[in-house]
């Protein structure tokens, strides 16, 4: 664990700056846990994603583990809009851009072989004291895509 801790300190500032407060996280989780789309596994819907109807619109649930990472990220959104939207401060936006640039090419595509799920999930585990077995490259890529979307919306 010490080696992971040493590695994580290199990026921990970036990640910490993108997390919500415990108060916001708990509020989000209470919304999720009461939601009809929240599963016993603690995910937002099942994977693979199935479209769902909510308030007359079709939505695609993310299938993310909400307590491990998504519920803690300031830039994350509820797929059906049950959370309020948070606006990142300028320093958070700068750190978010640095993380996205590390893992994506100039076209915004995730670089082949750049995403090491163990690396990013290891950082989340250190920060959140979570010890769930979540080393899914697909989940980490989705987190990066969510961050890209957030940054794109802020630039629009």
């Amino acid at each position: 664990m010490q080696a992971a801790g040493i590695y994580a300190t290199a990026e921990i500032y970036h990640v910490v700056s993108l997390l919500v407060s415990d108060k916001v996280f708990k509020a989000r989780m209470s919304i999720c846990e009461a939601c009809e789309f929240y599963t016993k596994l603690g995910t937002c819907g099942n994977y693979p994603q199935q479209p769902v109807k909510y308030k007359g619109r079709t939505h695609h649930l993310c299938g993310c583990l909400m307590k491990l990472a998504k519920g803690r990220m300031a830039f994350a959104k509820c797929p059906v809009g049950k959370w309020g939207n948070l606006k990142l401060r300028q320093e958070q936006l700068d750190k978010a851009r640095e993380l996205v640039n590390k893992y994506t090419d100039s076209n915004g595509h995730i670089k082949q072989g750049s995403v090491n799920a163990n690396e990013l999930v290891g950082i989340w585990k250190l920060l959140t004291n979570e010890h769930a077995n979540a080393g899914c490259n697909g989940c980490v890529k989705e987190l990066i895509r969510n961050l890209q979307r957030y940054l794109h919306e802020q630039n629009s």
Side-chain angles (χ1 to χ4, degrees):
M1 187 70 157
Q2 185 177 7
I6 291 168
Y7 177 79
T9 56
E11 290 190 16
I12 207 162
Y13 178 73
H14 298 294
V15 176
V16 169
S17 70
L18 298 174
L19 298 179
V20 296
S21 68
D22 283 342
K23 181 179 177 180
V24 171
F25 173 70
K26 287 176 184 174
R28 285 179 171 185
M29 290 304 93
S30 68
I31 292 167
C32 290
E33 290 166 357
C35 180
E36 63 270 30
F37 305 120
Y38 192 70
T39 71
K40 290 180 183 179
L41 296 174
T43 61
C44 179
N46 293 310
Y47 191 82
Q49 303 164 2
Q50 297 293 320
V52 297
K53 289 279 190 186
Y54 181 73
K55 291 189 175 181
R57 295 184 58 206
T58 300
H59 302 272
H60 294 275
L61 303 178
C62 60
C64 290
L65 291 166
M66 302 310 292
K67 288 184 180 179
L68 177 62
K70 186 170 182 177
R72 296 186 182 277
M73 294 180 294
F75 59 86
K77 291 182 178 179
C78 169
V80 297
K82 291 186 177 186
W83 299 347
N85 291 331
L86 294 178
K87 188 161 177 83
L88 296 182
R89 297 180 312 275
Q90 186 59 48
E91 62 269 17
Q92 290 175 306
L93 288 170
D94 294 341
K95 297 303 174 195
R97 283 187 193 95
E98 287 180 42
L99 280 176
V100 167
N101 289 338
K102 177 179 178 179
Y103 293 105
T104 60
D105 63 22
S106 60
N107 295 319
H109 299 102
I110 295 176
K111 295 176 190 171
Q112 187 68 17
S114 71
V115 175
N116 179 336
N118 292 331
E119 170 186 325
L120 289 180
V121 172
I123 293 170
W124 292 117
K125 286 180 182 180
L126 284 170
L127 292 171
T128 63
N129 295 318
E130 293 281 348
H131 298 288
N133 182 18
C136 171
N137 280 336
C139 291
V140 175
K141 287 178 181 179
E142 184 59 27
L143 297 178
I144 293 168
R145 286 186 198 102
N146 286 337
L147 187 50
Q148 282 178 301
R149 282 191 284 277
Y150 181 90
L151 290 170
H152 178 74
E153 290 170 6
Q154 295 306 304
N155 291 334
S156 298

